[in-house]
Amino acid sequence: MTETGRIKAVILAGGLGSRLSEETTVRPKPMVEIGGRPLLWHILKIYAHYGVHDFVICLGYRGYMIKEYFANYFLHNSDVTFDLSNNQVEVHQRNAEPWRVTLIDTGERTQTGGRLKRVAAYLSDGPFCFTYGDGLADINIESLLTFHRKQKRLATVTAVEPPGRFGALDVDGQLVTRFVEKPHGHGSWINGGFFVLERSAIDYIPGDDTVWEREPLESLAREGQLAAFFHTGFWQPMDTLRDRMHLEQLWGTGHAPWNVWA
């Protein structure tokens, strides 16, 4: 087994996704489909492409739907015959993945840090990956892991430039001198998820009410234990219906940037 193959990836999949209420009133956000597949499937495919096949998924809001999806994964992805008279199922074509998926109910109201702390018992010693269940990127997970090991810090966050949402104006007095449609990032860097953490980073989380992005990350940064892996490629969260439509359009081109496994 390769070094990457020993790594687990923890995925946050328990939030309400209130800004995408058009979809999330009936399903958890990671189960919203892009190209006929749940967003969660796309995220797992990214990790699996780099040899990470062992996943721990933090469930919350409507978590039973994620359990049912994986329980019926063969039915979703294979050709089958149902012989009702004999109560038998014949699978003709098996399209399975080499994944091990552990689904843990971390509570409906638990915060992001609390969810991670609740699954600590399912993690081994050494580094593990950790990310959100609503963001896609063409990030090289192997390079990210290599970077983390070289830094010898407790945590690494992937720093990304946010995608532009509005056109920008350069103004001189009352005249517009330049117009840029949806500029990328404006030179700022934000938390893009796709963390690599040492197990002891979980000690920075007091309990269920802890927001990972606040006290834990702030403390790690203050102590010089938070490294930044700069990713300048594609990164897109799915926060709104507009984001979902954008991702769907990209997938429809047949050249979706995050489809590293194609």
Side-chain angles (χ1 to χ4, degrees), residues 113-158:
R115 293 189 191 281
L116 174 57
K117 191 174 185 69
R118 283 205 186 194
V119 302
Y122 299 91
L123 301 173
S124 305
D125 293 334
F128 64 94
C129 296
F130 175 51
T131 198
Y132 308 107
D134 63 355
L136 297 172
D138 60 354
I139 184 171
N140 187 311
I141 300 298
E142 187 174 1
S143 296
L144 170 62
L145 286 163
T146 299
F147 172 86
H148 173 79
R149 292 188 178 100
K150 288 181 178 178
Q151 296 303 306
K152 300 186 184 301
R153 297 294 190 268
L154 295 182
T156 295
V157 58
T158 296

Side-chain angles (χ1 to χ4, degrees), residues 51-74:
V52 178
H53 299 293
D54 199 341
F55 302 99
V56 179
I57 300 178
C58 304
L59 305 180
Y61 172 69
R62 295 185 181 269
Y64 66 89
M65 296 184 71
I66 298 177
K67 289 182 180 179
E68 289 175 352
Y69 174 75
F70 285 105
N72 296 309
Y73 194 85
F74 266 125

Side-chain angles (χ1 to χ4, degrees), residues 201-219:
I202 299 175
D203 297 339
Y204 286 73
I205 304 170
D208 281 358
D209 294 333
T210 304
V211 177
W212 168 249
E213 299 78 11
R214 294 178 186 167
E215 304 99 304
L217 282 187
E218 290 168 2
S219 296

Side-chain angles (χ1 to χ4, degrees), residues 69-82 89-91:
Y69 174 75
F70 285 105
N72 296 309
Y73 194 85
F74 266 125
L75 296 182
H76 287 291
N77 297 280
S78 302
D79 296 330
V80 296
T81 294
F82 294 95
V89 178
E90 182 181 357
V91 179

Side-chain angles (χ1 to χ4, degrees), residues 30 32-35 37-47 131-139 160 163 192 194 231 233-238 243-244 246-248 250-251 256-259 261:
V32 174
E33 293 186 351
I34 302 296
R37 303 272 194 168
L39 185 65
L40 182 61
W41 178 88
H42 292 265
I43 295 169
L44 269 56
K45 288 288 283 188
I46 294 170
Y47 277 104
T131 198
Y132 308 107
D134 63 355
L136 297 172
D138 60 354
I139 184 171
V160 300
F194 293 95
H231 174 64
F234 175 85
W235 175 83
Q236 177 67 57
M238 190 180 67
D243 293 335
R244 193 198 73 77
H246 177 57
L247 292 170
E248 187 72 50
L250 288 174
W251 185 262
W258 68 89
N259 187 2
W261 61 90

